[in-house]
């Protein structure tokens, strides 16, 4: 079912449902990843996996990544396929909803940014800006399951 | 030519149990079949994607004056909705829903349930309301309301086993739905009570 879970990001506890995002992503994953010709590069996992982020930095990096996807990625993922576009809209609006929930932690100073998360996010931005914007956006969208797996 | 075809009026939402429908009044053109197309716009599109609109998955050039937008309303944010009339090459202006629609406002009705006493077993049969729904079932031995027990049923397969009953005793059950995506519950159903089969132990 569309399961709300309590996510623990360090001191921050947020009740969110990623089931609908995952269902939407699964429906378009093959289509999106087929548009990403550069197999040897990763936006989120280069040079280090998200799993290397310490738990104290989890909230900050998650907050950064929600902003990254909402502000930078989704808007450059328009396709000629209306089904895919609808699913991207569904994911984007769900991210907006989650971003707002996580923002509450940020406001309550439960989402402090350490050196590591700051460096990691800089690396992600560098990976992103190393490609042309559409390729970078499509690759980032294609890596959404990496983020979801890491979050869960 | 578009100005000849009036925009649909009386646009409203009917949303019950996470099923959402957009409805409007028909545009009448004598002797013609007018068709309608619906579009939606999530908060993301409004704020981050130049207020772009997205064609509904179900309602493009339909003749009905009602559109199932459940698939389109797939996040808990404020959605704008609009519909226009089309006749041949002629298109009306868009008629836009007044205000926004957020699925958190859907009305949740109590679940339909059937309580079964199967010998000493207390069972409950719940109506399948879709993947978004869970059920919170409360049950107790009549007269012992303070020892009420709770069972959360997440997957409605067929029948849920609640308890093993004492011979001849009356047991009562009521339930409510819970939708995790919007973190809301319905009111409780009517209470239903059944009696366990009597004591049939044989004296040897």
């Amino acid at each position: 079912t569309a399961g709300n879970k309590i996510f623990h990001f360090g001191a921050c506890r947020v009740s969110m449902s990623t089931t609908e995002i995952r269902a939407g992503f699964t429906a378009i994953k093959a289509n999106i990843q087929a548009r990403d010709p550069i197999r040897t590069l990763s936006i989120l996992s280069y040079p280090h996996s998200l799993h290397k982020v310490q738990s104290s930095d989890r909230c900050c990096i998650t907050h950064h990544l929600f902003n990254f996807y909402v502000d930078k990625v989704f808007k450059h993922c328009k396709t000629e396929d209306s089904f895919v576009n609808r699913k991207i809209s569904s994911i984007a609006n769900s991210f907006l909803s989650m971003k707002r929930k996580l923002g509450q932690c940020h406001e309550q100073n439960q989402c402090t940014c350490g050196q590591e998360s700051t460096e990691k996010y800089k690396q992600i931005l560098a990976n992103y800006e190393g490609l042309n914007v559409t390729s970078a956006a499509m690759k980032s969208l294609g890596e959404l399951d990496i983020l979801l797996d890491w979050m869960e | 030519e578009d100005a000849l075809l009036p925009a649909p009026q009386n646009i409203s939402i009917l949303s019950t149990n996470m099923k959402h429908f957009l409805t409007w009044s028909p545009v009448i053109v004598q002797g013609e079949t007018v068709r309608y197309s619906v579009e939606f716009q999530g908060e993301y599109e409004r704020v981050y994607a130049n207020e772009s609109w997205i064609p509904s998955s179900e309602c493009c050039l339909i003749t009905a004056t009602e559109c199932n937008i459940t698939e389109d309303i797939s996040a808990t944010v404020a959605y704008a909705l609009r519909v226009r009339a089309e006749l041949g090459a002629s298109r009306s202006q868009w008629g836009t829903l007044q205000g926004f629609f957020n699925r958190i406002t859907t009305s949740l009705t109590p679940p339909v349930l059937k309580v079964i006493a199967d010998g000493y077993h207390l069972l409950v049969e719940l109506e399948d309301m879709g993947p978004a729904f869970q059920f919170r079932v409360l049950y107790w031995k009549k007269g012992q309301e303070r020892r009420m027990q709770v069972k959360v049923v997440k997957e409605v397969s067929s029948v849920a086993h609640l308890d093993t009953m004492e011979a001849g005793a009356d047991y009562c059950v009521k339930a409510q739905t819970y939708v995790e995506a919007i973190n809301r519950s319905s009111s409780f159903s009517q209470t239903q009570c059944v009696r366990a089969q009597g004591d049939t132990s044989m004296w040897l």
Side-chain angles (χ1 to χ4, degrees):
Chain A
T1 66
N4 256 25
K5 288 175 77 162
I6 305 288
F7 284 83
H8 297 262
F9 301 111
C12 167
R13 285 159 43 89
V14 181
S15 166
M16 292 189 293
S17 172
T18 55
T19 305
E20 286 174 311
I21 291 177
R22 209 180 262 283
F25 178 69
T26 303
I28 60 172
K29 178 177 177 179
N31 182 299
I32 295 298
Q33 291 185 347
R35 296 167 191 266
D36 173 16
I38 314 163
R39 285 288 186 241
T40 53
L41 265 178
S42 168
I43 303 286
L44 298 183
S45 302
Y46 175 82
H48 304 303
S49 153
L50 282 171
H51 294 281
K52 290 182 72 68
V53 172
Q54 291 171 32
S55 77
S56 57
D57 278 276
R58 274 171 59 85
C59 185
C60 172
I61 198 75
T62 306
H63 189 242
H64 274 318
L65 287 173
F66 282 175
N67 289 337
F68 169 69
Y69 274 92
V70 167
D71 296 335
K72 288 181 175 295
V73 172
F74 295 127
K75 63 181 70 174
H76 296 298
C77 292
K78 196 130 180 127
T79 73
E80 73 298 335
D81 184 321
S82 57
F83 172 79
V84 171
N85 290 344
R86 267 196 301 276
K87 290 301 178 187
I88 292 173
S89 165
S90 169
I91 293 168
N93 280 288
S94 294
F95 255 69
L96 192 55
S97 190
M98 288 201 302
K99 171 185 154 149
R100 190 167 296 139
K101 287 187 176 183
L102 203 59
Q104 290 157 19
C105 279
H106 207 259
E107 284 148 24
Q108 294 152 19
N109 288 318
Q110 295 171 329
C111 208
T112 50
C113 291
Q115 173 74 15
E116 188 189 354
S117 50
T118 305
E119 288 305 320
K120 177 61 183 176
Y121 184 57
K122 276 185 191 163
Q123 180 64 62
I124 288 172
L125 286 182
N127 296 343
Y128 186 84
E129 275 136 23
L131 301 171
N132 77 70
V133 69
T134 304
S135 303
M138 277 300 176
K139 177 178 278 296
S140 303
L141 180 56
E143 294 184 3
L144 205 61
D145 49 357
I146 293 175
L147 172 58
L148 295 174
D149 292 345
W150 172 72
M151 277 173 61
E152 288 172 352
Chain B
E1 206 178 345
D2 284 359
L4 296 179
L5 207 51
Q9 302 293 315
N10 304 318
I11 300 163
S12 64
I13 290 271
L14 290 174
S15 176
T16 306
N17 292 330
M18 294 294 268
K19 295 278 191 295
H20 323 303
F21 292 86
L22 187 72
T23 68
W24 57 88
S25 299
V27 171
I28 308 290
V29 177
Q30 284 309 327
E32 297 284 0
T33 302
V34 174
R35 292 176 182 276
Y36 306 93
S37 293
V38 172
E39 291 188 344
F40 66 93
Q41 177 193 75
E43 190 172 343
Y44 174 82
E45 283 73 33
R46 247 183 337 281
V47 176
Y48 294 90
N50 310 311
E51 300 188 356
S52 52
W53 290 85
I54 298 173
S56 162
S57 53
E58 307 260 338
C59 307
C60 182
L61 295 173
I62 61 170
T63 54
T65 58
E66 174 184 279
C67 172
N68 185 344
I69 55 172
T70 303
E71 281 296 309
D72 300 323
I73 308 295
S74 53
T76 307
V77 295
Y79 280 85
L81 291 140
R82 67 184 186 180
V83 53
R84 75 178 166 194
E86 304 192 28
L87 181 55
S90 177
R91 288 177 176 175
S92 75
Q93 294 295 310
W94 288 101
T96 303
L97 176 72
Q98 251 193 338
F100 298 119
F101 170 66
N102 189 319
R103 66 180 183 179
I104 206 164
T105 62
T106 192
S107 69
L108 296 176
T109 60
V112 172
L113 70 153
K114 182 178 165 193
V115 180
I116 303 161
D118 180 8
Y120 296 117
H121 296 286
L122 179 62
L123 310 176
V124 66
E125 204 172 85
L126 291 155
E127 166 200 15
D128 187 351
M129 299 176 73
F133 285 79
Q134 294 180 32
F135 299 87
R136 200 159 155 267
V137 183
L138 272 57
Y139 56 97
W140 63 94
K141 186 178 171 187
K142 207 165 194 178
Q144 295 186 9
E145 280 68 7
R146 284 199 302 172
R147 294 180 58 193
M148 195 175 276
Q149 296 185 65
V150 180
K151 183 175 184 118
V152 174
V153 178
K154 293 198 172 187
E155 309 283 345
V156 176
S157 49
S158 53
V159 171
H161 182 276
L162 296 179
D163 210 347
T164 304
M165 301 186 280
E166 292 167 25
D170 289 336
Y171 285 75
C172 299
V173 181
K174 63 180 180 180
Q176 66 179 160
T177 63
Y178 173 63
V179 180
E180 286 183 331
I182 57 174
N183 199 22
R184 275 186 49 217
S185 297
S186 73
S187 52
F188 275 101
S189 66
Q190 294 281 331
T191 298
Q192 290 181 38
C193 300
V194 291
R195 175 164 297 175
Q197 80 175 24
D199 191 349
T200 55
S201 53
M202 302 294 289
W203 292 99
L204 299 178

